């Protein structure tokens, strides 16, 4: 499916394609522009089949934990659930400095956050295209996208939800025919747990999109924090939640 909500994707855009492997992941992606996430800068990312982009290490877990996570892996989870791309769908990703795409991203972010004009210099676009769920006996698929972008000063993530038909894989107690029930998908934009200085405790930053881990998440294509149904946008170099 293609629509104005999704930025262009697929092999014809130069995307890499993740291997067909349940709970699989991309190879390590060396970021051509390091990405700052909650004050910490990362040079390596993984696009995980189960709907998570993680920094430094892959995430293979399929039943989503509630945020904040205790294992300390910083991650961006557009739709963390038990994807099985062996049964259907593809996961694509690319780093890009394509001027046309960056112009679109820049225009959108400046429109949503007009007080801070933004000119993107780089983006990582990851797209889950009609991906099936583990144990599926149906043709249902989810199509969604996550974009990491920066102008080298400010860092944003964009989530685009084009078509969400299932919430839960069979191993998470979902129904094999409907892909519903059980422990529904986790949608979170910002989760990072880190230790600050010599503080013995954890500083915790996280944000869950409303409806996350409930059956209501199936309706995420109609929700937004920037008045564009199906799109959520967050600035992530510093912790701030806008328009929620």
């Amino acid at each position: 499916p293609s629509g104005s909500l999704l930025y262009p994707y697929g092999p014809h855009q130069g995307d890499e394609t993740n291997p067909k492997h349940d709970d699989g992941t991309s190879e390590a992606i060396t970021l051509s522009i390091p990405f700052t996430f909650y004050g910490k800068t990362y040079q390596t990312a993984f696009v995980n089949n189960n709907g998570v982009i993680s920094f430094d290490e892959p995430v293979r877990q399929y039943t989503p934990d509630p945020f904040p996570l205790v294992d300390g892996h910083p991650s961006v989870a557009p739709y963390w659930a038990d994807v099985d791309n062996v049964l259907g769908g593809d996961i694509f990703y690319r780093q890009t400095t394509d001027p046309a795409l960056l112009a679109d991203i820049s225009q959108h972010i400046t429109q949503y956050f007009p007080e801070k004009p933004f000119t993107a210099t780089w983006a990582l676009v990851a797209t889950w295209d009609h991906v099936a769920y583990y144990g599926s006996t149906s043709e249902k698929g989810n199509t969604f996208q996550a974009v990491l972008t920066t102008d080298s000063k400010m860092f944003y993530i964009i989530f685009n939800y084009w078509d969400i038909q299932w919430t839960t894989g069979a191993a998470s107690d979902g129904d094999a025919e409907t892909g519903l029930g059980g422990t529904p998908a986790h949608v979170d934009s910002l989760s990072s747990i880190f230790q600050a200085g010599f503080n013995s405790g954890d500083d915790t930053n996280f944000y869950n999109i409303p409806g996350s881990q409930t059956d209501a998440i199936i309706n995420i294509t109609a929700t937004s924090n920037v008045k564009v149904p199906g799109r959520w946008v967050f600035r992530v170099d510093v912790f701030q939640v806008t328009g929620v």
Side-chain angles (χ1 to χ4, degrees), residues 193-204:
I193 297 186
F194 52 89
Q195 293 205 309
F198 295 96
N199 184 359
S200 59
D202 282 331
D203 280 334
T204 306

Side-chain angles (χ1 to χ4, degrees), residues 57-128:
E57 294 181 43
V59 171
R60 299 179 189 276
Q61 187 177 336
Y62 60 82
T63 293
D65 280 338
F67 285 111
L69 298 178
V70 290
D71 66 3
H73 293 322
S75 59
V76 171
Y79 202 87
W80 185 8
D82 197 0
V83 169
D84 188 347
N85 65 344
V86 178
L87 292 178
D90 288 293
I91 295 112
F92 300 111
Y93 66 91
R94 73 184 180 282
Q95 295 186 76
T96 180
T97 55
D98 174 61
L101 177 68
L102 293 181
D104 281 350
I105 291 173
S106 302
Q107 183 209 330
H108 291 150
I109 290 181
T110 300
Q111 176 188 334
Y112 308 145
F113 302 90
E115 68 284 357
K116 291 195 166 71
F118 180 83
T119 303
T121 54
W122 167 92
L124 171 67
V125 180
T127 310
W128 287 258

Side-chain angles (χ1 to χ4, degrees), residues 25 47 54 68 149 193 238:
T25 180
V47 174
S54 55
T149 187
I193 297 186
V238 292

